[in-house]
Amino acid sequence: MEGESYFRVEAANKLVVRTTIDYWQKIITFKHPAMKTREEQVKLDLRAPDEIRQSKQNEKVLLYYRKTDDYHTCVVVRAINGEGFIITTYMTDKVKEGKTIWKK
C-alpha cells in the first residue's frame, strides 16, 4: 500500500496496522461513509477488540470485532510480511464465521 501513512496502531495481537490518507478517504467516501466520524473507534477496535477472527476466504485477512451498543464494528485487515493494512471497516449486527484467533 503506497502513500503517506495516516495512522499506525499496534493491535491487540501485536500486529502493527496502518492505513494511508488516500485509502482512508476511499473507505469513508465510497466503501462505508457511515464510518466517516469513527476514526478513533477504529483505532480502539484494533487496540482492544472483543474478538479477532481469521477470514474463511483468505487466511491472511483478520477481522477485528468490538461490540458497541446494538452493533459490532469490524475492522478488516490484511496481514502481509508482519504488517497489517486496513482493507475496510464497517458496522454490522453479527460477527461473521471464521476461526477465532484471539478473544478478550
Side-chain angles (χ1 to χ4, degrees), residues 1 17-19 23 26-27 31-32 58 60-62 75-79 84-89:
M1 183 177 291
V17 178
R18 70 180 182 94
T19 192
Y23 200 78
K26 181 178 178 180
I27 291 170
K31 289 184 167 189
H32 299 284
N58 185 335
K60 295 182 188 250
V61 174
L62 304 176
V75 183
V76 182
V77 172
R78 181 170 172 97
F85 302 92
I86 295 176
I87 296 172
T88 195
T89 182

Side-chain angles (χ1 to χ4, degrees), residues 10-70:
E10 183 175 330
N13 60 340
K14 304 300 182 199
L15 183 69
V16 176
V17 178
R18 70 180 182 94
T19 192
T20 64
I21 293 169
D22 291 340
Y23 200 78
W24 182 254
Q25 287 302 312
K26 181 178 178 180
I27 291 170
I28 64 173
T29 303
F30 301 109
K31 289 184 167 189
H32 299 284
M35 299 304 291
K36 187 172 187 167
T37 61
R38 299 180 186 273
E39 176 184 326
E40 293 305 314
Q41 178 68 44
V42 169
K43 292 176 186 178
L44 181 60
D45 296 341
L46 292 166
R47 285 187 196 110
D50 294 327
E51 185 172 2
I52 303 170
R53 291 189 172 213
Q54 186 177 49
S55 169
K56 286 180 69 174
Q57 292 141 0
N58 185 335
E59 65 184 28
K60 295 182 188 250
V61 174
L62 304 176
L63 297 94
Y64 293 75
Y65 287 99
R66 185 174 171 88
K67 180 91 167 128
T68 306
D69 299 322
D70 295 331

